[in-house]
Structure formats: C-alpha cells, structure tokens
Amino acid sequence: MPTLILLRHGRSTANTGGVLAGWTPGVALDERGAAQAAALPARLRDVPLAVAVASPLQRCQETLAPLLAARPELPSHTDERIGECHYGDWSGRKLAELHDEPLMAVVQQHPSAAAFPGGESVRAMQARALDAVRDWNERIEREHGPDAVYLVCTHGDIIKALVADALGLHLDLFQRIAVDPCSVTAIRYTRLRPYLARLGDTGDLADLAPSGQPPTEREGDAAIGGGAGAP
C-alpha cells in the first residue's frame, strides 16, 4: 500500500500565543510558519506525490499553498476527518490557564478516557483520522499503484494518534510522541503492518521517493539489521 507523508502545519499565531486553537476560525501561520511553508517545495522536490490532502483549517491550507503553487498539476483535496481535535469549550483558551483543569491530567496521562467538554473524545479523534487514512490508502493504491506517495497536511494530535496506531501503541502512550510545526512524519503501509519511516523530520526528504527496486524482504517483515536506507 502507499506511503503516507504526514505534514504538520507550519507555526501558527496560536502556537506562539500559547492558545489551544482547535477549530477556532482565523488562526493563520505566523511569520516563521509562512517561511516554513515556503521551504516545503524544495524539501519535497525529489518526492513524487500522487495527491495532497489537507485539513480544512486555515493554518493547514496556508501551509500547503506554496507546494500547490509549485506543483500546479498536483491534485488536492480537503478532508474534515483530518481536521484538528474538537476541543469544545477549551477551544481558544490559553494553555497556561488550562493547566490546572482536572481534565488536563487525564489528557496527559490517560487520553483514551479523555473527552473535551462540548467537544469530542481523543478516541473519536483517532478513529476518524484512521478511517480517513485507510480510505485514502485504498483510493491512492487503486488510482496510482502500491508504490505511490501522498501527503496529508494536518495537526499535531492527529499525527501523534496515527503514529501510535502505526507503532501498535495504546492511545494512552501517544503523548510520548512529539512533532514540530512543519515537520514530516512518514508511514509506509503494507498488507500486514505499517512502518514508521520518519518522525518529526524537518530536514531533507529525498529518500522517501520510491527506489524503483524490488523489495528485499517479504511483505510485512522488517528488514533484518535495519535495512540499507536510501540508495
């Protein structure tokens, strides 16, 4: 199945303001975030992308815009299922003031039991994101072949939840994962299991392109010794 590149949006005004943005409208990239987005076409220049999919939120749309401008032929789609967690009554509040909320300890230590007041549970967030990825995997493979690479521009908690699933981690461990703004996380899916190829990478991405060589291990098996990496 395809390789999924998960791109976290660039640094936003909410990130620098210490605000839990959620689905609050009007949250844009800040100056650094815009520069991070502008650097994406060069970072991804050696990776052939079949499709780009984005969260509907402004910060993700702005992050993807330079890449789409550089590749006008690249099909793009918006999928609400990869939008930020619905934080409900917590949306738009300062993280510093949320620190003493009793629910915050649950979010950090036992997130599978956490549900945001007036919003959704962390479990529901993970479930919808996984449904989206599985649907896109099937579509990309059907339309572009099993070696295709596609990009999803989304949010930190969504990426962490997808990585936890790929690694076989319980959702309660997903807070141990960190992804920086405009970092790339890549998951290669096979019939039997996914492989985490990148986590929070902010550097060169050339070796995510298909090698064109036949696989050296059985489908679903890990490469003994860790594999040879990029040719």
Side-chain angles (χ1 to χ4, degrees), residues 3 39 53 150 207:
T3 295
V53 185
Y150 74 105
D207 64 350

Side-chain angles (χ1 to χ4, degrees), residues 23 53-56 77-83 132 136:
W23 285 69
V53 185
S55 156
H77 304 270
T78 296
D79 192 330
E80 290 195 357
R81 296 175 297 175
I82 56 165
W136 279 108

Side-chain angles (χ1 to χ4, degrees), residues 78-149:
T78 296
D79 192 330
E80 290 195 357
R81 296 175 297 175
I82 56 165
E84 181 62 283
C85 185
H86 291 276
Y87 296 117
D89 298 343
W90 281 23
S91 298
R93 293 179 62 186
K94 290 277 190 180
L95 290 167
E97 72 181 44
L98 291 169
H99 180 75
D100 294 327
E101 291 276 358
L103 178 61
M104 183 59 83
V106 182
V107 171
Q108 292 296 327
Q109 303 298 329
H110 190 20
S112 66
F116 296 97
E120 70 180 333
S121 69
V122 179
R123 295 189 318 280
M125 176 201 73
Q126 183 187 46
R128 63 174 164 83
L130 286 169
D131 283 346
V133 164
R134 286 166 182 151
D135 288 348
W136 279 108
N137 282 346
E138 292 178 4
R139 176 173 173 178
I140 297 299
E141 181 174 13
R142 182 174 66 250
E143 297 179 359
H144 301 278
D147 293 328
V149 182

Side-chain angles (χ1 to χ4, degrees), residues 15-231:
N15 295 145
T16 49
V19 172
L20 187 65
W23 285 69
T24 304
V27 177
L29 299 183
D30 68 5
E31 185 176 350
R32 181 176 176 184
Q36 290 171 332
L40 277 174
R43 289 176 64 201
L44 289 163
R45 64 182 177 273
D46 295 319
V47 183
L49 297 173
V51 170
V53 185
S55 156
L57 296 173
Q58 179 178 338
R59 52 199 182 274
C60 288
Q61 298 286 328
E62 289 180 350
T63 299
L64 203 54
L67 180 65
L68 296 178
R71 300 193 193 189
E73 77 289 350
L74 179 62
S76 62
H77 304 270
T78 296
D79 192 330
E80 290 195 357
R81 296 175 297 175
I82 56 165
E84 181 62 283
C85 185
H86 291 276
Y87 296 117
D89 298 343
W90 281 23
S91 298
R93 293 179 62 186
K94 290 277 190 180
L95 290 167
E97 72 181 44
L98 291 169
H99 180 75
D100 294 327
E101 291 276 358
L103 178 61
M104 183 59 83
V106 182
V107 171
Q108 292 296 327
Q109 303 298 329
H110 190 20
S112 66
F116 296 97
E120 70 180 333
S121 69
V122 179
R123 295 189 318 280
M125 176 201 73
Q126 183 187 46
R128 63 174 164 83
L130 286 169
D131 283 346
V133 164
R134 286 166 182 151
D135 288 348
W136 279 108
N137 282 346
E138 292 178 4
R139 176 173 173 178
I140 297 299
E141 181 174 13
R142 182 174 66 250
E143 297 179 359
H144 301 278
D147 293 328
V149 182
Y150 74 105
L151 182 144
V152 167
C153 184
T154 183
H155 306 267
D157 279 350
I158 294 287
I159 295 172
K160 289 159 58 178
L162 291 170
V163 169
D165 173 77
L167 293 176
L169 295 177
H170 194 283
L171 184 58
D172 285 344
L173 301 179
F174 101 124
Q175 297 289 27
R176 301 186 183 193
I177 300 164
V179 289
D180 287 339
C182 226
S183 65
V184 160
T185 294
I187 301 172
R188 288 195 171 103
Y189 287 88
T190 74
R191 184 174 60 86
L192 299 179
R193 68 176 69 143
Y195 292 89
L196 185 65
R198 281 288 192 284
L199 177 61
D201 194 323
T202 57
D204 183 72
L205 302 169
D207 64 350
L208 290 176
S211 67
Q213 300 298 317
T216 57
E217 68 275 359
R218 291 184 302 163
E219 183 183 7
D221 286 351
I224 303 301

